[in-house]
Each structure stands twice: as structure tokens, then as C-alpha cells.
Amino acid sequence: MPSVLITGATSGFGKAAAMRFAKAGWSLILTGRREERLKALESELSKQVPVLTLTLDVRDSDAVTKALGELPEQFLPLTCLINNAGLALAPEPAQKVDLKDWHTMIDTNITGLVNVTHAALPLLLAQGEGASILNLGSVAGQWPYPGGHVYGASKAFVQQFSYNLRCDLLGTGVRVTDLAPGMAETEFTLVRTKGNQEASDALYRGTTPLQAEDIAEQLYYLATLPAHININRLEIMPVRQAWSPFNINRDPE
């Protein structure tokens, strides 16, 4: 039975991915910081497949290394790693942002991803051909926008880290993909605005954003491609989202 490790599995893309892979019969290793949500997900999905939940902060390298070094044999070798844990904070201009918010994004989106990947690599290499590392990037890593500052930069790291991993893993059979979603209706904006439901509702009002299930379906597709295929980067936007012209600062008339 193939197994998948999903970080940030308590909501959004991570939770939807857990449900999609469970539907296909994969064993699940689910991590997150909110234990009550993890246990609820375990209770639901363990009726279908083996589920192991790890209450874990990906920023804690020692805890990550210990947890992944002690996985039960029934979940090994590891077939797929989905590096989903991440967040955006502080949509204000850079000059108005609390430095702590920058550090939180760097520690989660970059350091956390590196911690998990480093600990999981031996498990994926044991699987070899057909194993996958699927990193959740963002269109923000490719296309800058006001208020993107460290969030966009952290997702640019995800893209380049993915590409460089591909180089290092050549010949091992392990695949690496940067999956970069555009606008998606999840808890993302609630987290970014620190609980501002009105701001979240306004962002998605009157349009048709991606849903978490859309991204979960793409993750499953990537993980189940024939073993000789690697998609380096998959950028996905809703049809109703596109790029805008450059902003120009003009003198007042």
C-alpha cells in the first residue's frame, strides 16, 4: 500500500489532500499543530485506510527528525511527501509590517519545508522509482504584487529549492514538483488577516476561486503519474484570475 506524508493537514489543501488520497487507498501520515483537528481527521479517515497523526510544528527540526525517524514499518517506505504547511501574514506594505510576521513566514514556509524534506529524504530514497516530493508553492513566487514581500519571496524559494532538488535526485527515481496555485478559497486569507472574516469574504466575493479539492486532485494526479514522468512546475489559476498591467507612479496633474 503506498503511503503519503502530508504536512499542514488540518485544513485547506492539506486536509483535502488527505481525503483524496484516503479515497484512493493510500496510507496517511498527517502532521499539524492543532491536535484536536488531527484527531478528528484520523477518526474519519481511519475507517478507510491506516492513518498516523503527528502533532508537530515543522519549524522544530529536532521534533521533525525524531518523529520521521520513528515511523512504524507499515507506513514505510514513503511513497510521497506533500510539503503543504505554510502561511501568509501581513498583507500591508513592507514598511508597515511587524518584523515578527516576516520571521514567522520564513520559519514556516522555508525552514519548516527544509526540515521536513531533509528528514523524509532517506524514506523516499528507500522507495526510489515513483516516489514524489510535492511542494506547495504559489503564483506569488513567480508574479510579485503589493503586500507580497516575504510571502512571495518564500514561495520563490520553494520553486528554486524544488528545481535544485531535481538536480540532486537525478538517478534516484524520486520526483520533485513545485505546485503553484493562484487564488483559492481556504482559510488562507483568514490567517493572513489574523481572523478578519470580512476581508476574506471580500476577496472571494463575485468570482469563482479554486477550491481546496481542486488542488488535492492535482496533487493526486502528480503522485500517480507513470514513474518516468516528472512535472517540474505546475501553476494553476482559476479562469477568472489573470495578470494585471504594471503599476505606474505618476506626478499629480
Side-chain angles (χ1 to χ4, degrees), residues 87-94 105 109 137-156 181-183 188-189 192 203 237 241-247:
L87 78 168
L89 296 171
E92 302 82 12
M105 286 186 280
N109 300 354
S138 169
V139 296
Q142 184 80 15
W143 310 106
Y145 62 90
H149 39 78
V150 165
Y151 176 69
S154 73
K155 292 304 182 178
M183 177 187 285
F188 176 88
T189 302
R192 189 170 202 188
L203 178 64
M237 286 183 176
Q241 181 184 24
W243 307 275
S244 294
F246 286 113
N247 283 329

Side-chain angles (χ1 to χ4, degrees), residues 87-100:
L87 78 168
L89 296 171
E92 302 82 12
Q95 61 270 29
K96 297 183 178 180
V97 173
D98 189 325
L99 180 59
K100 290 181 180 178

Side-chain angles (χ1 to χ4, degrees), residues 20-224:
R20 179 64 182 90
F21 279 78
K23 180 180 177 182
W26 287 52
S27 296
L28 305 177
I29 307 161
L30 308 178
T31 83
R33 292 184 298 166
R34 292 174 285 192
E35 184 173 13
E36 69 286 352
R37 289 197 181 192
L38 278 178
K39 292 304 179 185
L41 197 56
E42 179 182 19
S43 176
E44 177 182 357
L45 298 182
S46 60
K47 299 170 186 175
Q48 304 174 53
V49 294
V51 180
L52 174 67
T53 57
L54 303 171
T55 304
L56 195 62
D57 187 336
V58 296
R59 297 174 294 182
D60 185 339
S61 60
D62 290 340
V64 168
T65 300
K66 184 176 187 297
L68 298 194
E70 298 175 349
L71 293 180
E73 285 295 324
Q74 72 176 113
F75 293 94
L76 299 174
L78 185 63
T79 314
C80 181
L81 165 62
I82 298 177
N83 274 315
N84 169 71
L87 78 168
L89 296 171
E92 302 82 12
Q95 61 270 29
K96 297 183 178 180
V97 173
D98 189 325
L99 180 59
K100 290 181 180 178
D101 287 338
W102 278 5
H103 286 169
T104 298
M105 286 186 280
I106 291 168
D107 291 345
T108 306
N109 300 354
I110 297 177
T111 305
L113 180 144
V114 167
N115 289 342
V116 175
T117 302
H118 189 269
L121 270 174
L123 311 179
L124 293 158
L125 289 167
Q127 171 70 41
E129 186 174 295
S132 303
I133 299 172
L134 307 180
N135 294 326
L136 263 296
S138 169
V139 296
Q142 184 80 15
W143 310 106
Y145 62 90
H149 39 78
V150 165
Y151 176 69
S154 73
K155 292 304 182 178
F157 173 89
V158 173
Q159 179 179 337
Q160 284 301 314
F161 184 58
S162 300
Y163 289 175
N164 283 278
L165 275 177
R166 278 274 290 125
C167 295
D168 290 342
L169 294 174
L170 185 65
T172 68
V174 179
R175 306 177 287 192
V176 188
T177 300
D178 170 33
L179 175 58
M183 177 187 285
E185 189 172 9
T186 65
E187 294 181 5
F188 176 88
T189 302
L190 272 179
V191 172
R192 189 170 202 188
T193 60
K194 299 183 178 178
N196 188 334
Q197 185 67 55
E198 185 177 342
S200 180
D201 292 344
L203 178 64
Y204 305 119
R205 186 179 299 124
T207 191
T208 310
L210 299 171
Q211 300 298 314
E213 292 74 18
D214 299 326
I215 301 305
E217 195 63 42
Q218 296 306 310
L219 288 165
Y220 181 71
Y221 163 73
L222 292 166
T224 54

